[in-house]
């Protein structure tokens, strides 16, 4: 961004006077700019030397930086200097100015070739071309000489030597205008020539010319805006000096000074008019066309720079005439352009002085900005939220409650930058108003602190967000802007434990639950210093300051909660949800504080409360929280270990003894056992299982008792469901803990034999339970069995664990068959047939979603066995058959014209995506299976003809959309083979279809072409030559050859078919190019190909001739209309329609028929002489610099008359 230099109160440039005068002005000029116009007029046109130039032009005619210039052939100098970026840009510009003062034609020729060279063109503009040819003819000649072997040009080339080119290029233009701002830019020659050249280049169909010239023109405009701003400031200063002098008494008034100030103000006004004419020409000749260019990068440049103009020179540019372009472009289809719109607006809304002038714009485009908070591009959404935050800072009345609510819910977004931006917006809106504290008064703490109401507000907001229950996400969103509030744990504890103050409403039970959950999340965030699961991009390296903050927070939270946690547990001991959250707090403690802070009595109280909670509760979550708390406290590194270990051992001894006693009585009673006995066994087993998950209970021999219980359940068949499920889980933990000990290497042979026997016996037990009548028991047995088969597969001996080889277990064929049958019978079933949803809750969506997740987990467990070759690979075919069966059923239910965006179709596609992930990353291992999958899928898609008759899509064509999920698993050479095989089923008419019903074929072909040989991008309007390449001729297989034989031949010898690149730079119609780009992709007879290509070329030449003739006629007609409009003084800019950014603006056939698109400003600026050019620009000036012109009522009538003319 180019910032305006600071201007002192007096009209004098004291900062860079010596440097500027050495290049652009006479030393005899007055420093305050009174002779700024001395080189204009005759002197400017003749290139006359000023007095201060004597002795400075001694380098010789046509020399720049000491390099001889002859007919412009040494044009590489400026380009090379800017490319290297090593020289001081000001000295480079000064040398060019010296050359311009000596011979302006030679210097301008060097500057023209500099712009041509920066565009990547190897052509050179000679002196003869410069003197005798119009700019349009020069550009056409350069287009013909453009090297299009590569689509890269300096602004897009990657590499270390080019990474600074863009910044150097922009700096050169800025410095050039700044150094020429006193005389040269007013000589009616240099700027007119440069503007005309850039305007012509910006209308070229060559992308490199268009991109480079647009960037140069926009930076030139920015530099001129700085000059105009300086002139405006100096005009104001001169006017104040004049008024002050005139108001003096007649005796003290200096008439000479008044005349001098009047003359100075007149010269400044003339210069201001000149600059405004130049800016007007650039805006109408370049910006008005290029802000709708087909290339997003060019559109982004225009919007970025107009934002700079409005911020720098708000008096001239910050009005609706210019703001409308930013507002329209916020609907651009490319996120890059929308992002530039938002960043440009942020610079305006950040200034409170400019907010008042944005009221109309805000009311017109506020809804669009609010909707952009849900933009598919996360960067755009972030900037939209930040912009709304700035709007909120300016005034609270603009955004309605509905607007704010649309931003509030984004604090739960999985994308952290979006959530953080929304959190800042929420904090500004809800928490910015705090109760002021009286000076000198003691700081209030606890529930009397100023944060108490803000914490309550956070709780209320969390509870009102009914669609979200993720407190961790809310805390993370507010952490950066409200960490001080969220870490006020003392206030939170006081709100939970202390009685409410008089007149204060106490928290409800639901609010207390929410506060405890938020408090836990703040403790976790402070202790771990990373976002919650699903938001983080990986652990980052913390700075020393962050580490110190983390350590201080852990110390403070431990000191607070070590004392407060026991009474909190005692108060909420019977509430399972509150206790579960509170029990997680010790996991984040600094346990050394218990010893250094002499808090042992509070530790004893904590252990006592945990023991009581274990005895009171049977809820699995509560028991697992108790188990994890014991695990966190039983850390051998701290001195409290012995105290906690004794308490844990006593608790477990009592639980195991109680379980063995109850189990023995329960098994003896058999069928006579009542529900109370079963409940006692189940509750004790739940506690043991929960502790066995985190603690090694091998010393209590739980395998024997649990195996006996399971065996009894098989024999009798009347064992309660939950007892069997938890017994299976507990036995599973026994096996895993035993294996963990053996993996350490310090084990005896007897232990290995014991584990092997226990593992195999338990697998047989789980296999027997697969036929249980209870679905939950079968699912538990299946899941555990899959885990054990995977753990004890041949993979376990890798990584230096060869001593575990005797434990390797491979399932028998009967077991594999039972596992597959279970999957087919319990996973691939209709949603309504799922008997897992009981209690009449079949219609409950939450229950259905839970059942779907459970089935997905079951399928994932089995697919792991396929991936690691635990079961036969061929069983994967049975899984895929189910997808095809479900697809056929969906087709029969929905019919041919079903909606591909429906939930049923999306569900099948999601299943296919998940199934494709199970094939892993080893493409060589799964190559044959993936290739055959595509082969069968293609045959299935084209198997049934279209019910609509010939010309319609095949009945099963939509299956290709699902098949595309597996394209990424194909090897690169196999993609070509599969694509060839697909083309054998296609007709030439199919390739040209673009209706929605053919989208599956289009997307599938694109998925097969992705990742192939990268075609070189054509620089013509940014179109890729990929689609225009003509493939090598292919002969069809004999009629008697089956498709399978052809497939196998192709798989054995992949055919490499290179695609030639499009290298023509002829002016063509891009829309026709897009339609023709599909020609040649499908196999055609050779003679048909040749005749069709010849016909296309002939048609294209005729079309180009017709378009040139139309442009010549339109130019004459529109130029006449333009002159009539100028005489009437009407505004032209207001005739712009809102842009349709999907249009390719470089297509003459696709241009909108409004005035701006039909008028060839570019040709007018190029072909007219400079002096006439200046006069027309002077007449057009009020259209852009009169802020009220957009409200002119005569605009619509003038526009209608011009259209009719």
């Amino acid at each position: 961004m180019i910032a305006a230099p600071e201007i002192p109160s007096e009209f004098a440039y004291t900062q860079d006077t010596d440097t500027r005068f050495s290049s652009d002005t006479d030393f005899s000029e007055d420093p305050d700019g009174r002779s700024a116009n001395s080189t204009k007029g005759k002197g400017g046109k003749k290139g006359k030397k000023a007095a201060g130039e004597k002795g400075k032009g001694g380098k010789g005619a046509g020399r720049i930086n000491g390099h001889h210039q002859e007919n412009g052939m040494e044009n590489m100098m400026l380009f090379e200097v800017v490319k290297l970026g090593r020289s001081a840009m000001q000295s480079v510009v000064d040398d060019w100015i010296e050359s311009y003062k000596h011979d302006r034609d030679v210097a301008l020729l060097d500057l023209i070739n500099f712009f041509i060279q920066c565009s990547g063109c190897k052509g050179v503009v000679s002196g003869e071309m410069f003197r005798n040819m119009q700019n349009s003819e020069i550009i056409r000649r350069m287009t013909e000489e453009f090297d299009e072997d590569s689509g890269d040009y300096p602004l897009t080339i990657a590499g270390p030597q080019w990474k600074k080119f863009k910044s150097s290029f922009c700096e050169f233009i800025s410095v050039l205008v700044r150094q020429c701002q006193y005389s040269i830019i007013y000589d009616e020659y240099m700027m007119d020539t440069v503007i005309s050249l850039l305007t012509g280049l910006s209308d070229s169909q060559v992308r490199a010319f268009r991109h480079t010239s647009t960037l140069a023109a926009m930076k030139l405009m920015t530099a001129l805006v700085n000059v105009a701003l300086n002139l405006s400031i100096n005009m104001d200063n001169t006017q104040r000096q004049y008024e002050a002098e005139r108001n003096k008494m007649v005796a003290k008034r200096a008439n000479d000074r008044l005349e001098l100030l009047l003359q100075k103000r007149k010269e400044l006004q003339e210069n201001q008019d000149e600059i405004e004419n130049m800016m007007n020409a650039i805006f109408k000749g370049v910006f008005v066309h290029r802000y709708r260019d087909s290339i997003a990068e060019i559109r982004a440049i225009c919007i970025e720079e107009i934002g700079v103009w409005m911020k720098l020179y708000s008096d001239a540019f910050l009005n609706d005439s210019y703001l409308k372009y930013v507002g329209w472009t916020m609907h651009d289809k490319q996120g890059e352009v929308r992002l530039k719109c938002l960043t440009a607006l942020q610079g305006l809304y950040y200034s409170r002085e400019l907010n008042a002038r944005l009221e109309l714009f805000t009311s017109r485009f506020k809804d669009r900005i609010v909707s952009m908070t849900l933009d598919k591009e996360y960067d755009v959404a972030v900037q939209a939220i930040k912009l709304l935050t700035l709007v909120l800072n300016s005034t609270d009345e603009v955004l309605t409650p509905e607007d704010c609510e649309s931003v509030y819910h984004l604090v739960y977004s999985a994308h952290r930058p979006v959530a953080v931006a929304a959190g800042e917006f929420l904090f500004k809106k809800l928490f910015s108003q705090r109760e002021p504290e009286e000076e000198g008064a003691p700081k209030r703490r606890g529930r009397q602190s100023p944060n108490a109401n803000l914490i309550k507000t956070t709780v209320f907001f969390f509870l009102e967000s009914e669609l979200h229950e993720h407190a961790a996400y809310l805390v993370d969103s507010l952490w950066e802007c409200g960490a001080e509030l969220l870490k006020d744990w003392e206030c939170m504890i006081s709100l939970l434990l202390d009685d409410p103050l008089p007149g204060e409403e106490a928290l409800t039970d639901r609010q207390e639950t929410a506060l405890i959950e938020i408090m836990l999340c703040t403790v976790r965030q402070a202790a771990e210093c990373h976002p919650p699961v699903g938001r983080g991009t990986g652990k980052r390296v913390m700075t020393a300051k962050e580490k110190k903050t983390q350590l201080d927070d852990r110390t403070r939270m431990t000191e607070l909660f070590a004392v407060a946690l026991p009474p909190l547990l005692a108060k909420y001991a019977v509430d399972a949800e509150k206790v579960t959250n509170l029990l997680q707090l010790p996991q984040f403690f600094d346990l050394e504080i218990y010893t250094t802070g002499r808090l042992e009595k509070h530790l004893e109280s904590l252990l006592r409360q945990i023991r009581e909670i274990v005895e009171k509760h049977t809820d699995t979550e509560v028991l697992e929280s108790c188990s994890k708390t014991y695990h966190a406290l039983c850390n051998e590194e701290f001195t409290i270990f012995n105290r906690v270990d004794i308490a844990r051992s006593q608790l477990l001894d009592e639980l195991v003894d109680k379980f063995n006693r109850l189990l023995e009585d329960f098994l003896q009673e058999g069928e006579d056992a009542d529900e109370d006995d079963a409940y006692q066994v189940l509750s004790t087993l739940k506690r043991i299982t929960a502790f066995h998950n985190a603690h090694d209970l091998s010393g209590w021999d739980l395998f024997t008792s649990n195996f006996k219980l399971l065996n009894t359940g098989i024999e009798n068949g009347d064992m309660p469901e939950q007892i069997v499920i938890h017994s299976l889980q507990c036995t599973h933990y026994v096996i895993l803990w035993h294996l963990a000990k053996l993996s350490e290497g310090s084990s005896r042979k007897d232990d290995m034999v014991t584990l092997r026997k226990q593992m195999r016996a338990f697998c047989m037990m789980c296999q027997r339970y697969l036929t249980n009548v209870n679905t939950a028991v079968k699912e538990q047995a299946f899941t555990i069995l899959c885990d054990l088969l995977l753990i004890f597969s041949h993979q376990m001996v890798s990584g230096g664990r060869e001593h575990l080889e005797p434990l390797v277990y491979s399932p028998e064929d009967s077991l594999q068959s039972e596992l597959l049958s279970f999957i087919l019978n319990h996973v691939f079933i209709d949603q309504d047939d799922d008997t897992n949803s009981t209690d009449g809750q079949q219609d409950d969506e939450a229950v259905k979603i839970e059942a779907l997740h459970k089935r997905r987990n079951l399928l994932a467990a089995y697919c792991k066995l396929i991936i690691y070759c635990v079961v036969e690979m061929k069983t994967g075919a049975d899984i895929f058959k189910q997808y095809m069966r479900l697809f056929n059923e969906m087709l029969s239910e929905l019919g041919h014209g079903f909606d591909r965006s429906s939930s049923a179709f999306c569900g099948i596609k999601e299943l296919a995506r998940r199934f494709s992930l199970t094939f892993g990353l080893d493409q060589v291992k799964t190559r044959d299976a993936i290739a055959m999958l595509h082969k069968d899928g293609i045959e299935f898609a084209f198997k049934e003809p279209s019910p609509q008759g010939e010309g319609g899509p095949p009945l099963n064509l939509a299956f290709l959309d699902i098949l595309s999920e597996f394209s990424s698993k194909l090897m690169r050479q196999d993609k070509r083979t599969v694509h060839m095989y697909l083309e054998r089923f296609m007709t030439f008419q199919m390739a040209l279809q673009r209706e929605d019903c053919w989208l599956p074929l289009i997307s599938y072909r694109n998925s097969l072409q992705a990742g192939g040989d990268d075609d070189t991008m054509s620089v013509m309007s940014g179109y890729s030559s990929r689609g225009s390449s003509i493939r090598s001729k292919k002969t069809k297989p004999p009629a008697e050859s089956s498709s399978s034989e052809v497939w196998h031949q192709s798989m054995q010898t992949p055919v490499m078919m290179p695609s030639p690149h499009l290298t023509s730079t002829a002016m063509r119609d891009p829309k026709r190019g897009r339609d023709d780009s599909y020609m040649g992709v499908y196999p055609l007879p050779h003679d048909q190909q040749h005749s069709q290509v010849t016909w296309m070329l002939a048609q294209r030449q005729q079309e180009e001739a017709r378009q040139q003739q139309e442009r010549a006629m339109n130019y004459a007609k529109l130029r006449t209309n333009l002159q009539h409009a100028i005489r009437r003084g009407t505004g032209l800019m207001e005739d712009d329609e809102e842009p349709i950014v999907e249009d390719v603006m470089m297509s003459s056939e696709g241009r909108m028929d409004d005035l701006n698109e039909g008028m060839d400003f570019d040709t007018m600026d190029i072909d007219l002489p400079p002096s006439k050019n200046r006069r027309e620009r002077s007449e057009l000036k009020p259209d852009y610099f009169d802020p009220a012109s957009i409200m002119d009522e005569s605009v619509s009538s003038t526009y209608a008359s011009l259209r009719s003319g």
Side-chain angles (χ1 to χ4, degrees), residues 611 630 644-654 700:
R611 182 186 180 95
Y630 270 115
V644 179
D645 185 48
I646 293 173
R648 179 186 59 175
S649 299
Q650 292 176 353
L651 176 61
L652 291 176
D653 285 337
E654 294 179 6
W700 282 271

Side-chain angles (χ1 to χ4, degrees), residues 831-878:
Q831 184 77 28
D832 296 333
D833 296 337
D834 189 358
T835 57
N836 219 19
S837 302
T838 58
D839 300 332
Q841 294 178 328
Q842 283 289 343
D843 296 333
D844 189 352
E845 289 297 326
V847 175
K848 289 185 177 181
I849 293 175
E850 184 66 26
L852 178 61
H853 282 302
K854 186 178 296 183
R855 296 193 341 241
R856 285 177 174 175
N857 292 335
L858 294 174
L859 180 60
Y862 183 75
C863 289
K864 291 178 184 178
L865 301 181
I866 300 177
I867 295 172
Y868 290 98
C869 300
V870 178
V871 298
E872 294 293 336
M873 181 67 73
K874 63 182 181 181
T875 56
D878 296 293

Side-chain angles (χ1 to χ4, degrees), residues 248-265:
K248 292 181 180 179
M249 297 176 60
V250 177
K252 296 183 179 181
R253 184 184 305 168
N255 293 329
D256 293 341
R257 179 168 174 78
L258 285 176
E259 293 179 1
L260 183 63
L261 290 173
L262 284 174
Q263 179 64 24
K264 178 179 175 181
R265 187 177 64 177

